[in-house]
Protein backbone atom coordinates (compact mmCIF):
# COMPACT_ATOMS: atom_id res chain seq x y z
CA UNK A 1 0.00 0.00 0.00
CA UNK A 2 1.41 3.45 -0.90
CA UNK A 3 2.71 5.49 2.02
CA UNK A 4 0.25 8.36 1.31
CA UNK A 5 -2.68 5.92 1.50
CA UNK A 6 -1.42 4.51 4.80
CA UNK A 7 -1.18 8.09 6.14
CA UNK A 8 -4.73 8.89 5.09
CA UNK A 9 -6.07 5.73 6.73
CA UNK A 10 -4.02 6.55 9.80
CA UNK A 11 -5.45 10.01 10.30
CA UNK A 12 -9.00 8.68 9.86
CA UNK A 13 -8.42 6.02 12.49
CA UNK A 14 -6.88 8.53 14.89
CA UNK A 15 -9.82 10.89 14.29
CA UNK A 16 -12.29 8.10 15.10
CA UNK A 17 -10.54 7.15 18.36
CA UNK A 18 -9.99 10.78 19.38
CA UNK A 19 -13.65 11.48 18.56
CA UNK A 20 -14.68 8.86 21.13
CA UNK A 21 -12.65 10.71 23.75
CA UNK A 22 -14.13 14.06 22.70
CA UNK A 23 -17.61 12.56 23.08
CA UNK A 24 -16.92 11.21 26.56
CA UNK A 25 -15.21 14.40 27.77
CA UNK A 26 -17.79 16.70 26.16
CA UNK A 27 -20.68 14.55 27.37
CA UNK A 28 -19.18 14.54 30.86
CA UNK A 29 -18.86 18.30 30.69
CA UNK A 30 -22.54 18.66 29.77
CA UNK A 31 -23.55 16.25 32.55
CA UNK A 32 -21.53 18.22 35.11
CA UNK A 33 -23.06 21.49 33.92
CA UNK A 34 -26.56 20.05 34.35
CA UNK A 35 -25.76 19.00 37.92
CA UNK A 36 -24.20 22.41 38.61
CA UNK A 37 -27.35 24.12 37.33
CA UNK A 38 -29.47 21.99 39.66
CA UNK A 39 -27.25 22.86 42.61
CA UNK A 40 -27.30 26.54 41.70
CA UNK A 41 -31.09 26.48 41.51
CA UNK A 42 -31.33 24.82 44.92
CA UNK A 43 -29.04 27.44 46.47
CA UNK A 44 -31.05 30.28 44.95
CA UNK A 45 -34.28 28.77 46.26
CA UNK A 46 -32.80 28.32 49.72
CA UNK A 47 -31.51 31.90 49.75
CA UNK A 48 -35.08 33.17 49.38
CA UNK A 49 -35.67 32.11 52.97
CA UNK A 50 -32.98 34.52 54.23
CA UNK A 51 -35.01 37.69 53.73
CA UNK A 52 -33.00 40.80 52.92
CA UNK A 53 -29.74 38.85 52.84
CA UNK A 54 -31.10 36.41 50.29
CA UNK A 55 -29.95 38.25 47.11
CA UNK A 56 -26.38 38.29 48.42
CA UNK A 57 -26.08 34.50 48.19
CA UNK A 58 -26.29 34.23 44.37
CA UNK A 59 -24.15 37.39 44.05
CA UNK A 60 -21.39 35.86 46.18
CA UNK A 61 -21.77 32.50 44.41
CA UNK A 62 -21.35 33.90 40.89
CA UNK A 63 -18.66 36.39 41.92
CA UNK A 64 -16.62 33.61 43.50
CA UNK A 65 -17.11 31.34 40.50
CA UNK A 66 -16.09 34.07 38.07
CA UNK A 67 -12.98 34.93 40.11
CA UNK A 68 -11.85 31.29 40.38
CA UNK A 69 -12.48 30.63 36.68
CA UNK A 70 -10.58 33.79 35.71
CA UNK A 71 -7.66 32.74 37.90
CA UNK A 72 -7.56 29.37 36.13
CA UNK A 73 -7.57 31.14 32.76
CA UNK A 74 -4.68 33.36 33.84
CA UNK A 75 -2.65 30.29 34.77
CA UNK A 76 -3.27 28.63 31.37
CA UNK A 77 -2.94 31.11 28.48
CA UNK A 78 -5.65 31.01 25.81
CA UNK A 79 -8.13 29.10 27.98
CA UNK A 80 -10.18 32.27 28.52
CA UNK A 81 -13.18 32.95 26.33
CA UNK A 82 -14.58 30.75 23.63
CA UNK A 83 -11.44 29.32 22.04
CA UNK A 84 -12.96 29.26 18.55
CA UNK A 85 -10.75 32.14 17.46
CA UNK A 86 -7.77 30.12 18.66
CA UNK A 87 -8.85 27.12 16.56
CA UNK A 88 -9.14 29.41 13.53
CA UNK A 89 -5.67 30.87 14.18
CA UNK A 90 -4.13 27.39 14.27
CA UNK A 91 -5.77 26.46 10.97
CA UNK A 92 -4.43 29.65 9.38
CA UNK A 93 -0.92 28.87 10.58
CA UNK A 94 -0.76 31.93 12.85
CA UNK A 95 0.23 29.75 15.80
CA UNK A 96 0.68 26.13 16.84
CA UNK A 97 -1.72 24.01 18.92
CA UNK A 98 -1.17 24.42 22.64
CA UNK A 99 -0.10 21.61 25.00
CA UNK A 100 -2.79 19.40 26.61
CA UNK A 101 -2.87 21.53 29.80
CA UNK A 102 -5.56 23.47 27.97
CA UNK A 103 -7.99 20.58 28.43
CA UNK A 104 -8.38 20.58 32.25
CA UNK A 105 -8.32 24.38 32.31
CA UNK A 106 -11.23 24.54 29.87
CA UNK A 107 -13.15 21.75 31.60
CA UNK A 108 -12.93 22.98 35.18
CA UNK A 109 -12.76 26.69 34.35
CA UNK A 110 -15.82 26.43 32.11
CA UNK A 111 -17.68 24.29 34.63
CA UNK A 112 -17.07 26.80 37.42
CA UNK A 113 -17.84 29.88 35.31
CA UNK A 114 -20.99 28.57 33.62
CA UNK A 115 -22.10 26.51 36.60
CA UNK A 116 -21.96 29.53 38.90
CA UNK A 117 -24.37 31.43 36.64
CA UNK A 118 -22.36 33.52 34.16
CA UNK A 119 -24.17 34.05 30.84
CA UNK A 120 -21.81 31.88 28.78
CA UNK A 121 -22.17 28.89 26.48
CA UNK A 122 -20.90 25.33 26.87
CA UNK A 123 -19.85 25.10 23.23
CA UNK A 124 -16.72 27.25 23.65
CA UNK A 125 -15.05 24.85 26.10
CA UNK A 126 -16.16 21.74 24.18
CA UNK A 127 -14.83 23.12 20.88
CA UNK A 128 -11.48 24.00 22.45
CA UNK A 129 -11.26 20.71 24.35
CA UNK A 130 -12.05 18.81 21.16
CA UNK A 131 -9.28 20.67 19.34
CA UNK A 132 -6.81 19.99 22.16
CA UNK A 133 -7.67 16.27 22.13
CA UNK A 134 -7.29 16.12 18.35
CA UNK A 135 -3.89 17.83 18.38
CA UNK A 136 -2.58 15.66 21.22
CA UNK A 137 -3.80 12.51 19.46
CA UNK A 138 -1.86 13.59 16.39
CA UNK A 139 1.27 14.22 18.44
CA UNK A 140 1.04 10.89 20.27
CA UNK A 141 0.71 8.99 16.97
CA UNK A 142 3.61 10.96 15.45
CA UNK A 143 1.61 12.64 12.71
CA UNK A 144 3.25 15.44 10.75
CA UNK A 145 2.38 19.08 11.43
CA UNK A 146 -0.27 19.31 8.71
CA UNK A 147 -2.13 16.25 10.03
CA UNK A 148 -1.91 17.52 13.61
CA UNK A 149 -3.49 20.77 12.44
CA UNK A 150 -6.12 18.81 10.53
CA UNK A 151 -7.03 16.77 13.61
CA UNK A 152 -7.03 19.93 15.76
CA UNK A 153 -9.57 21.55 13.44
CA UNK A 154 -11.72 18.49 12.75
CA UNK A 155 -12.09 17.51 16.40
CA UNK A 156 -13.03 21.12 17.23
CA UNK A 157 -16.08 20.52 15.03
CA UNK A 158 -16.73 17.32 16.95
CA UNK A 159 -16.69 19.39 20.15
CA UNK A 160 -19.36 21.71 18.78
CA UNK A 161 -21.43 18.72 17.65
CA UNK A 162 -21.27 17.24 21.15
CA UNK A 163 -22.24 20.55 22.78
CA UNK A 164 -25.54 20.71 20.87
CA UNK A 165 -26.01 17.07 19.74
CA UNK A 166 -25.70 18.40 16.19
CA UNK A 167 -23.33 16.26 14.10
CA UNK A 168 -24.00 17.96 10.77
CA UNK A 169 -23.73 21.34 12.45
CA UNK A 170 -20.26 20.38 13.68
CA UNK A 171 -19.11 19.41 10.19
CA UNK A 172 -20.50 22.58 8.62
CA UNK A 173 -18.98 24.69 11.38
CA UNK A 174 -15.52 23.42 10.40
CA UNK A 175 -16.06 24.08 6.69
CA UNK A 176 -18.02 27.33 6.80
CA UNK A 177 -16.60 29.11 9.83
CA UNK A 178 -13.19 27.73 10.79
CA UNK A 179 -11.57 26.84 7.46
CA UNK A 180 -13.96 28.50 4.97
CA UNK A 181 -13.18 25.75 2.51
CA UNK A 182 -14.52 22.34 1.53
CA UNK A 183 -11.86 19.72 0.91
CA UNK A 184 -12.52 16.00 0.66
CA UNK A 185 -9.92 15.01 3.27
CA UNK A 186 -11.02 17.70 5.71
CA UNK A 187 -14.67 16.68 5.37
CA UNK A 188 -13.96 12.95 5.76
CA UNK A 189 -11.79 13.37 8.86
CA UNK A 190 -14.38 15.73 10.39
CA UNK A 191 -17.22 13.33 9.57
CA UNK A 192 -15.62 10.34 11.28
CA UNK A 193 -14.48 12.33 14.30
CA UNK A 194 -17.88 13.96 14.71
CA UNK A 195 -19.80 10.71 14.27
CA UNK A 196 -17.85 8.87 16.96
CA UNK A 197 -17.92 11.90 19.27
CA UNK A 198 -21.69 12.32 19.15
CA UNK A 199 -22.21 8.57 19.43
CA UNK A 200 -20.11 8.37 22.59
CA UNK A 201 -21.59 11.53 24.10
CA UNK A 202 -25.03 9.94 23.87
CA UNK A 203 -23.85 7.29 26.32
CA UNK A 204 -23.54 10.10 28.87
CA UNK A 205 -26.27 12.65 28.03
CA UNK A 206 -28.81 10.46 26.23
CA UNK A 207 -30.22 10.43 22.72
CA UNK A 208 -32.77 13.22 22.33
CA UNK A 209 -33.16 16.65 20.82
CA UNK A 210 -31.89 19.55 22.89
CA UNK A 211 -35.31 21.22 22.73
CA UNK A 212 -38.78 19.73 22.66
CA UNK A 213 -40.78 21.59 20.04
CA UNK A 214 -44.41 20.95 19.12
CA UNK A 215 -45.06 19.74 15.58
CA UNK A 216 -45.00 22.79 13.32
CA UNK A 217 -46.81 23.11 9.99
CA UNK A 218 -45.07 24.55 6.95
CA UNK A 219 -45.64 28.33 7.08
CA UNK A 220 -47.60 29.76 4.15
CA UNK A 221 -45.64 31.41 1.34
CA UNK A 222 -47.38 34.68 2.14
CA UNK A 223 -45.25 34.86 5.31
CA UNK A 224 -41.91 34.80 3.48
CA UNK A 225 -41.77 38.61 3.10
CA UNK A 226 -42.33 38.88 6.86
CA UNK A 227 -39.42 36.49 7.51
CA UNK A 228 -37.28 38.46 5.07
CA UNK A 229 -37.94 41.71 6.95
CA UNK A 230 -37.47 39.92 10.25
CA UNK A 231 -34.10 38.63 9.06
CA UNK A 232 -32.98 42.11 8.03
CA UNK A 233 -33.94 43.52 11.44
CA UNK A 234 -32.09 40.65 13.09
CA UNK A 235 -28.99 41.55 11.06
CA UNK A 236 -29.05 45.01 12.65
CA UNK A 237 -29.40 43.43 16.10
CA UNK A 238 -26.52 41.05 15.38
CA UNK A 239 -24.23 43.90 14.29
CA UNK A 240 -25.04 45.73 17.54
CA UNK A 241 -24.35 42.56 19.55
CA UNK A 242 -20.93 42.16 17.94
CA UNK A 243 -19.99 45.75 18.68
CA UNK A 244 -21.14 45.38 22.27
CA UNK A 245 -18.94 42.30 22.81
CA UNK A 246 -15.83 43.99 21.43
CA UNK A 247 -16.67 47.28 23.16
CA UNK A 248 -16.96 45.68 26.60
CA UNK A 249 -13.72 43.76 26.08
CA UNK A 250 -11.98 47.03 25.19
CA UNK A 251 -13.52 48.76 28.18
CA UNK A 252 -12.28 46.06 30.56
CA UNK A 253 -8.82 46.26 29.00
CA UNK A 254 -8.68 49.97 29.85
CA UNK A 255 -9.65 49.43 33.50
CA UNK A 256 -6.05 48.84 34.56
CA UNK A 257 -6.40 49.86 38.19
CA UNK A 258 -8.34 46.70 38.93
CA UNK A 259 -6.78 43.29 38.35
CA UNK A 260 -8.46 40.75 36.03
CA UNK A 261 -9.60 38.49 38.88
CA UNK A 262 -11.23 41.42 40.69
CA UNK A 263 -12.88 42.54 37.45
CA UNK A 264 -14.23 39.04 36.92
CA UNK A 265 -15.58 38.98 40.48
CA UNK A 266 -17.33 42.32 39.92
CA UNK A 267 -18.94 41.03 36.72
CA UNK A 268 -19.95 37.87 38.55
CA UNK A 269 -21.53 39.87 41.36
CA UNK A 270 -23.67 41.81 38.87
CA UNK A 271 -24.78 38.65 37.11
CA UNK A 272 -25.39 36.97 40.48
CA UNK A 273 -27.74 39.79 41.49
CA UNK A 274 -29.67 39.16 38.27
CA UNK A 275 -29.75 35.47 39.13
CA UNK A 276 -31.32 36.34 42.47
CA UNK A 277 -34.01 38.43 40.79
CA UNK A 278 -34.94 35.75 38.24
CA UNK A 279 -32.93 32.60 37.39
CA UNK A 280 -33.86 33.04 33.71
CA UNK A 281 -31.79 36.24 33.56
CA UNK A 282 -28.51 34.35 34.10
CA UNK A 283 -26.90 31.09 33.02
CA UNK A 284 -26.40 29.77 29.50
CA UNK A 285 -30.06 30.22 28.56
CA UNK A 286 -31.03 26.67 27.58
CA UNK A 287 -33.89 26.53 30.06
CA UNK A 288 -35.30 29.85 28.85
CA UNK A 289 -34.96 28.80 25.20
CA UNK A 290 -36.69 25.53 26.01
CA UNK A 291 -39.61 27.37 27.60
CA UNK A 292 -40.07 29.61 24.59
CA UNK A 293 -39.79 26.78 22.08
CA UNK A 294 -42.26 24.75 24.10
CA UNK A 295 -44.84 27.52 23.72
CA UNK A 296 -44.55 29.02 27.23
CA UNK A 297 -44.52 32.66 26.11
CA UNK A 298 -44.34 35.46 28.73
CA UNK A 299 -46.19 38.74 28.29
CA UNK A 300 -44.53 41.48 26.23
CA UNK A 301 -43.09 43.56 29.14
CA UNK A 302 -41.39 40.45 30.54
CA UNK A 303 -40.03 39.57 27.08
CA UNK A 304 -38.61 43.07 26.72
CA UNK A 305 -36.94 42.79 30.14
CA UNK A 306 -35.47 39.37 29.44
CA UNK A 307 -34.18 40.49 26.04
CA UNK A 308 -32.61 43.71 27.30
CA UNK A 309 -30.91 42.08 30.28
CA UNK A 310 -29.59 39.02 28.46
CA UNK A 311 -28.47 41.15 25.48
CA UNK A 312 -26.15 43.00 27.90
CA UNK A 313 -25.35 40.18 30.30
CA UNK A 314 -23.90 37.84 27.66
CA UNK A 315 -21.19 40.24 26.40
CA UNK A 316 -20.56 41.41 29.98
CA UNK A 317 -19.99 37.82 31.11
CA UNK A 318 -17.66 37.21 28.18
CA UNK A 319 -15.65 40.29 29.19
CA UNK A 320 -14.90 38.59 32.53
CA UNK A 321 -12.24 36.54 30.67
CA UNK A 322 -13.29 33.17 32.01
CA UNK A 323 -13.62 30.01 29.90
CA UNK A 324 -17.00 30.01 28.17
CA UNK A 325 -18.62 30.50 24.78
CA UNK A 326 -21.04 32.80 23.00
CA UNK A 327 -23.36 30.46 21.09
CA UNK A 328 -25.84 29.25 23.73
CA UNK A 329 -26.58 32.74 25.16
CA UNK A 330 -26.80 34.01 21.58
CA UNK A 331 -29.45 31.41 20.73
CA UNK A 332 -31.48 32.43 23.79
CA UNK A 333 -31.35 36.09 22.74
CA UNK A 334 -32.43 35.07 19.22
CA UNK A 335 -35.38 33.11 20.57
CA UNK A 336 -36.45 36.03 22.78
CA UNK A 337 -36.11 38.44 19.86
CA UNK A 338 -38.21 36.23 17.59
CA UNK A 339 -40.99 35.80 20.14
CA UNK A 340 -41.02 39.54 20.91
CA UNK A 341 -41.20 40.53 17.23
CA UNK A 342 -44.02 38.07 16.70
CA UNK A 343 -45.92 39.41 19.73
CA UNK A 344 -45.62 42.99 18.48
CA UNK A 345 -46.57 42.06 14.91
CA UNK A 346 -49.24 39.51 15.81
CA UNK A 347 -52.17 41.57 14.50
CA UNK A 348 -50.47 41.56 11.07
CA UNK A 349 -49.21 37.97 11.07
CA UNK A 350 -51.63 35.08 10.49
CA UNK A 351 -51.53 32.10 12.81
CA UNK A 352 -52.16 33.79 16.15
CA UNK A 353 -50.12 32.95 19.23
CA UNK A 354 -49.08 29.58 17.76
CA UNK A 355 -46.82 31.42 15.31
CA UNK A 356 -44.48 32.54 18.10
CA UNK A 357 -42.51 29.28 18.13
CA UNK A 358 -41.51 29.46 14.42
CA UNK A 359 -40.35 33.04 14.93
CA UNK A 360 -38.32 31.95 17.97
CA UNK A 361 -36.60 29.20 15.96
CA UNK A 362 -35.94 31.47 13.00
CA UNK A 363 -34.68 34.18 15.36
CA UNK A 364 -32.13 31.79 16.85
CA UNK A 365 -30.66 30.90 13.44
CA UNK A 366 -30.82 34.44 12.02
CA UNK A 367 -29.05 36.03 14.99
CA UNK A 368 -26.39 33.31 14.85
CA UNK A 369 -25.94 33.99 11.13
CA UNK A 370 -25.56 37.74 11.59
CA UNK A 371 -23.12 37.50 14.52
CA UNK A 372 -20.96 34.58 13.39
CA UNK A 373 -21.56 35.06 9.64
CA UNK A 374 -22.09 31.34 9.09
CA UNK A 375 -25.72 31.09 7.91
CA UNK A 376 -25.74 27.46 6.76
CA UNK A 377 -24.21 26.31 10.04
CA UNK A 378 -26.81 28.33 11.94
CA UNK A 379 -29.69 26.80 9.99
CA UNK A 380 -28.51 23.21 10.36
CA UNK A 381 -27.55 23.67 14.01
CA UNK A 382 -30.99 24.99 14.95
CA UNK A 383 -32.81 22.34 12.90
CA UNK A 384 -30.80 19.57 14.58
CA UNK A 385 -31.53 21.01 18.01
CA UNK A 386 -35.27 21.42 17.40
CA UNK A 387 -36.20 19.00 14.63
CA UNK A 388 -38.04 21.84 12.88
CA UNK A 389 -37.47 20.74 9.28
CA UNK A 390 -40.75 22.35 8.23
CA UNK A 391 -39.16 25.78 8.72
CA UNK A 392 -36.28 25.34 6.28
CA UNK A 393 -37.50 27.92 3.76
CA UNK A 394 -38.23 30.64 6.39
CA UNK A 395 -34.87 29.84 8.00
CA UNK A 396 -33.03 30.22 4.70
CA UNK A 397 -34.88 33.45 3.90
CA UNK A 398 -34.24 35.09 7.27
CA UNK A 399 -30.59 33.96 7.50
CA UNK A 400 -29.91 35.34 4.02
CA UNK A 401 -31.35 38.71 5.00
CA UNK A 402 -29.61 38.76 8.39
CA UNK A 403 -26.19 37.92 6.93
CA UNK A 404 -26.50 40.40 4.09
CA UNK A 405 -27.67 43.20 6.40
CA UNK A 406 -24.84 42.67 8.90
CA UNK A 407 -22.34 42.62 6.01
CA UNK A 408 -23.70 45.83 4.49
CA UNK A 409 -23.49 47.51 7.90
CA UNK A 410 -19.76 46.80 7.97
CA UNK A 411 -19.99 44.46 10.94
CA UNK A 412 -16.98 42.14 11.22
CA UNK A 413 -17.79 38.48 12.02
CA UNK A 414 -17.32 38.07 15.75
CA UNK A 415 -14.55 35.47 15.67
CA UNK A 416 -12.59 37.51 13.15
CA UNK A 417 -12.80 40.44 15.57
CA UNK A 418 -11.76 38.29 18.53
CA UNK A 419 -8.88 36.70 16.63
CA UNK A 420 -7.54 40.05 15.45
CA UNK A 421 -7.48 41.50 18.96
CA UNK A 422 -5.85 38.48 20.60
CA UNK A 423 -2.18 38.67 21.56
CA UNK A 424 -0.92 35.11 21.15
CA UNK A 425 1.50 34.01 23.88
CA UNK A 426 4.83 32.63 22.78
Amino acid sequence: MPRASRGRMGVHLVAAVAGCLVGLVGGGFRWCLARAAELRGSLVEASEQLGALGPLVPAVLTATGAAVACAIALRVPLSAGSGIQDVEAVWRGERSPRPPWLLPAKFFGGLIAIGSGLVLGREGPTVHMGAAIGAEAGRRTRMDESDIRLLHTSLAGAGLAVAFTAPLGGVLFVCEEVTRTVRARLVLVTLIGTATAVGCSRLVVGDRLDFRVPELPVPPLALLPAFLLFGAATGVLGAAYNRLIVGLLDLCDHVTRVGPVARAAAVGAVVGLLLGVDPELAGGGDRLSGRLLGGDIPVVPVLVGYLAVRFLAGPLSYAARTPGGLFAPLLAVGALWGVLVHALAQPLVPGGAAGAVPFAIVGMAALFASVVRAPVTGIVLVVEMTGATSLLIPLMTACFAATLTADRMGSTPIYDSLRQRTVWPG
Side-chain angles (χ1 to χ4, degrees):
M1 183 180 292
R3 183 177 178 181
S5 297
R6 291 201 304 269
R8 282 194 289 271
M9 289 182 64
V11 78
H12 295 152
L13 178 61
V14 172
V17 174
C20 292
L21 184 55
V22 172
L24 294 174
V25 171
F29 185 67
R30 289 187 60 174
W31 186 90
C32 290
L33 284 177
R35 305 292 79 75
E38 292 172 0
L39 178 60
R40 184 179 71 233
S42 298
L43 289 173
V44 172
E45 286 182 11
S47 70
E48 294 173 357
Q49 310 301 319
L50 299 178
L53 296 177
L56 294 179
V57 173
V60 171
L61 168 69
T62 312
T64 303
V68 172
C70 181
I72 291 173
L74 289 174
R75 294 283 294 178
V76 182
L78 297 180
S79 64
S82 145
I84 291 174
Q85 64 271 27
D86 178 50
V87 174
E88 294 180 358
V90 170
W91 174 258
R92 287 162 174 74
E94 297 171 8
R95 51 166 300 274
S96 299
R98 288 290 150 185
W101 285 113
L102 186 68
L103 182 60
K106 275 291 187 179
F107 190 102
F108 293 106
L111 176 61
I112 293 168
I114 303 168
S116 65
L118 288 178
V119 185
L120 296 170
R122 62 182 179 269
E123 80 294 328
T126 57
V127 166
H128 220 176
M129 288 190 291
I133 290 170
E136 187 62 16
R139 292 191 192 102
R140 293 298 178 104
T141 53
R142 299 183 180 179
M143 297 281 178
D144 59 31
E145 287 300 319
S146 64
D147 281 346
I148 290 174
R149 193 171 68 199
L150 175 63
L151 288 165
H152 182 271
T153 302
S154 301
L155 274 297
L160 181 76
V162 167
F164 295 123
T165 319
L168 284 178
V171 175
L172 286 170
F173 166 75
V174 167
C175 296
E176 187 180 28
E177 169 58 25
V178 178
T179 68
R180 299 178 187 176
T181 186
V182 179
R183 301 176 186 171
R185 194 166 186 236
L186 170 69
V187 172
L188 289 175
V189 173
T190 306
L191 279 173
I192 187 62
T194 299
T196 56
V198 173
C200 288
S201 73
R202 286 174 171 169
L203 299 174
V204 182
V205 297
D207 183 9
R208 56 184 173 82
L209 296 175
D210 275 27
F211 299 117
R212 295 182 179 179
V213 177
E215 187 173 346
L216 300 170
V218 177
L221 288 176
L223 269 182
L224 285 186
F227 283 114
L228 187 70
L229 291 174
F230 173 60
T234 306
V236 176
L237 187 72
Y241 198 78
N242 280 9
R243 288 170 185 165
L244 181 61
I245 292 170
V246 175
L248 285 175
L249 286 170
D250 289 340
L251 178 62
C252 286
D253 285 346
H254 285 92
V255 182
T256 56
R257 294 184 179 181
V258 180
V261 173
R263 287 200 304 266
V267 170
V270 172
V271 176
L273 289 173
L274 296 174
L275 181 65
V277 172
D278 187 337
E280 303 290 21
L281 295 174
D286 279 3
R287 183 174 141 181
L288 177 59
S289 297
R291 279 183 53 194
L292 298 172
L293 297 179
D296 182 6
I297 310 299
V299 295
V300 169
V302 174
L303 285 173
V304 171
Y306 280 163
L307 178 61
V309 170
R310 292 195 67 93
F311 189 87
L312 293 170
L316 180 63
S317 296
Y318 195 81
R321 309 281 189 166
T322 68
L326 293 168
F327 284 6
L330 182 68
L331 295 176
V333 170
L336 284 166
W337 168 246
V339 170
L340 177 61
V341 169
H342 177 268
L344 297 176
Q346 192 170 330
L348 305 175
V349 178
V357 174
F359 270 84
I361 293 171
V362 172
M364 293 166 72
L367 189 60
F368 179 97
S370 63
V371 170
V372 182
R373 220 59 53 78
V376 180
T377 302
I379 292 168
V380 173
L381 191 69
V382 169
V383 168
E384 287 188 290
M385 293 174 75
T386 63
T389 55
S390 62
L391 298 180
L392 279 172
I393 300 303
L395 282 164
M396 294 167 67
T397 302
C399 287
F400 157 76
T403 304
L404 182 63
T405 301
D407 260 340
R408 292 299 174 88
M409 291 184 68
S411 173
T412 304
I414 188 59
Y415 292 111
D416 286 356
S417 297
L418 295 177
R419 192 177 69 253
Q420 290 162 9
R421 71 188 310 280
T422 300
V423 178
W424 307 113

